[in-house]
């Protein structure tokens, strides 16, 4: 991560768009995740977060516990909100203002729910997607 960040620092004087990708299958923010947020905040400042979009990747690979069978959409929504809340909490600890934090858009990437028994070449159905509302 250090070498990659150094290259970004050297080449990027200003940022138009920053996609912060976080693996939605992960149960927690790791120290590396928090360190990355700290480094970007220190280098680019609070206004940097105005150009950030949080992308929760691998939404289609989130494990659904048996007890959640039949409530997949609700489970994904809770998972999405939990990751978004933790991301916002960590930015708040860095001193980023709540108005900036709460304005950061977020989206889940990947099919959030898919019936694996459906044939692959069947037409895509809107009901197979979970659309998360922006705040």
């Amino acid at each position: 991560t250090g070498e990659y960040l150094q290259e970004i620092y050297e080449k990027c004087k200003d940022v138009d768009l920053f996609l912060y990708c976080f693996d939605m299958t992960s149960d927690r923010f790791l120290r590396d995740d928090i360190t990355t947020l700290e480094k970007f905040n220190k280098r680019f400042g609070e206004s940097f977060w105005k150009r950030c979009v949080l992308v929760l990747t691998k939404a289609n690979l989130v494990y659904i516990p048996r007890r959640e069978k039949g409530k997949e959409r609700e489970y994904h929504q809770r998972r999405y909100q939990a990751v978004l809340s933790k991301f916002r909490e960590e930015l708040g600890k860095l001193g980023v203002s709540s108005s900036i934090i709460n304005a950061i858009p977020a989206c889940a990437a990947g099919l959030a729910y898919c019936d694996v028994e459906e044939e692959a070449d069947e037409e895509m159905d809107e009901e197979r997607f979970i659309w998360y509302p922006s705040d």
Side-chain angles (χ1 to χ4, degrees):
T1 304
E3 291 174 15
Y4 181 66
L5 290 176
Q6 186 60 37
E7 186 176 342
I8 291 172
Y9 297 161
E10 291 169 4
K11 293 182 178 181
C12 297
K13 304 302 178 212
D14 195 23
V15 176
D16 293 322
L17 175 65
F18 176 68
L19 299 175
Y20 185 84
C21 297
F22 184 82
D23 184 345
M24 196 168 163
T25 64
S26 178
D27 288 345
R28 59 188 172 261
F29 263 63
L30 301 175
R31 182 69 214 155
D32 286 348
D33 298 315
I34 295 166
T35 299
T36 299
L37 296 178
E38 290 169 347
K39 287 179 178 182
F40 277 112
N41 193 60
K42 183 178 179 181
R43 173 68 170 103
F44 295 108
E46 183 179 58
S47 64
F48 170 78
W49 301 107
K50 292 179 182 179
R51 301 176 191 275
C52 177
V53 174
L54 175 62
V55 181
L56 303 177
T57 63
K58 301 182 184 176
N60 57 317
L61 300 177
V62 171
Y63 172 75
I64 308 285
R66 278 183 196 237
R67 69 180 179 279
E68 299 293 340
K69 209 62 170 157
K71 300 179 282 184
E72 290 87 354
R73 291 178 185 273
E74 293 84 3
Y75 180 79
H76 272 277
Q77 184 65 33
R78 287 193 311 271
R79 186 69 172 261
Y80 172 87
Q81 289 299 328
V83 175
L84 182 57
S85 294
K86 183 62 176 170
F87 178 77
R88 289 176 170 169
E89 176 188 327
E90 293 302 328
L91 286 181
K93 290 178 183 176
L94 297 176
V96 178
S97 71
S98 60
S99 62
I100 290 176
I101 292 170
N102 293 328
I104 296 173
C107 65
L111 289 175
Y113 170 71
C114 173
D115 184 350
V116 294
E117 294 182 13
E118 286 183 341
E119 296 208 15
D121 55 11
E122 261 187 53
E123 188 173 319
M124 294 294 273
D125 177 353
E126 285 294 313
E127 287 299 309
R128 291 179 56 197
F129 295 92
I130 297 176
W131 300 100
Y132 296 106
S134 61
D135 292 2

